[in-house]
Amino acid sequence: MVEKRSFESLGHADHGWLNARHHFSFADYYDPARMGWGAIRVWNDDEIGPNSGFPAHPHKDMEIVTYVRTGAITHQDSLGNKGRTGAGDVQVMSAGSGVRHAEYNLEPETTTLFQIWIEPTRKGGAPSWGAKPFPKDARDGRFAVLASGFAEDRDALPIRADARVLGATVKAGERISHSVGAGRHAYLVAATGGIEIDGERFAARDGAALTGGKTYEITAIEDAEIVLVDSE
């Protein structure tokens, strides 16, 4: 019910300014067993050097969620949006019918982040972008919804997918749980801290693919910051 994907087993690309690990097949990394998980298509663990980043490039028909772990990322796109997203906060871009964007680390330190791509429930539509601060104490000891395709999650950033992106900060020794519905898929990574999922140990930045139809118990071995995506 839990498939462990250790950090060491992930795809790896080091471009100097960018040191990236790929939980799923991406760019030059191809693994037919890791093409996605449900509607989750990409989960990249990126380290972006100071004063560097991704120049303007296009996207289409994808929900792109960026969770900043340390430092900050500055976004600019062809819609005229521009914004800086700092550590612990989230930005989302619905690429829709097409958009060009650039993501730069304008900070004097390395920025680390997760970039997650989720397939939308329908193609096309006007592209959009949004960002929101999520103070860690608002998700202390529990999962908080950061981005969601469900209208009832009014405080979350909207995405056009049958999915939720959740975050939690859990102190050593504390336990939280998450139920994955039948036929759904969840993917979980601890940004920091070691955890156990149903008794199996996961180090920081290991991936866990969770099968639907079960409630999973997550115990923090160390103070941990957890990101989870629950999708169709």
Side-chain angles (χ1 to χ4, degrees):
M1 302 295 282
V2 182
E3 180 188 342
K4 182 176 180 177
R5 300 181 178 182
S6 68
F7 180 76
E8 292 75 17
S9 75
L10 304 179
H12 185 213
D14 189 346
H15 302 285
W17 64 273
L18 171 67
N19 187 20
R21 295 278 180 168
H22 309 308
H23 286 261
F24 302 103
S25 295
F26 185 83
D28 292 334
Y29 168 59
Y30 175 72
D31 182 341
R34 295 185 179 181
M35 295 303 296
W37 186 245
I40 307 164
R41 179 61 188 85
V42 168
W43 191 307
N44 288 345
D45 181 327
D46 290 343
E47 301 175 2
I48 305 169
N51 300 304
S52 64
F54 301 91
H57 58 282
H59 286 286
K60 184 179 180 180
D61 293 324
M62 194 64 69
E63 303 300 294
I64 300 174
V65 181
T66 303
Y67 181 95
V68 181
R69 291 152 40 210
T70 63
I73 198 76
T74 297
H75 168 96
Q76 189 166 2
D77 63 39
S78 54
L79 304 174
N81 296 308
K82 186 174 183 178
R84 178 183 180 275
T85 304
D89 299 336
V90 177
Q91 68 171 14
V92 300
M93 186 177 74
S94 294
S97 58
V99 65
R100 291 178 62 84
H101 77 130
E103 306 289 338
Y104 284 104
N105 173 19
L106 302 180
E107 315 301 315
E109 61 182 346
T110 296
T111 287
T112 65
L113 55 82
F114 293 143
Q115 188 175 90
I116 301 162
W117 296 11
I118 305 170
E119 295 177 357
T121 52
R122 61 186 182 278
K123 293 185 177 182
S128 63
W129 174 83
K132 188 171 183 180
F134 285 95
K136 288 189 174 69
D137 58 6
R139 46 195 151 109
D140 189 17
R142 66 181 182 90
F143 278 114
V145 183
L146 309 178
S148 173
F150 299 95
E152 61 263 31
D153 297 322
R154 293 187 179 91
D155 293 333
L157 288 163
I159 55 176
R160 303 169 191 172
D162 183 357
R164 287 184 174 94
V165 181
L166 304 103
T169 54
V170 189
K171 296 187 183 302
E174 289 185 344
R175 177 180 296 178
I176 59 175
S177 63
H178 180 74
S179 296
V180 184
R184 294 186 66 81
H185 304 76
Y187 200 82
L188 180 155
V189 182
T192 60
I195 61 173
E196 288 184 352
I197 304 174
D198 289 351
E200 183 174 2
R201 182 69 183 263
F202 289 76
R205 301 163 77 184
D206 288 347
L210 310 180
T211 302
K214 187 180 186 307
T215 297
Y216 295 87
E217 300 293 333
I218 303 154
T219 304
I221 306 304
E222 308 158 321
D223 289 357
E225 182 178 347
I226 299 169
V227 180
L228 182 150
V229 177
D230 187 312
S231 78
E232 62 179 346

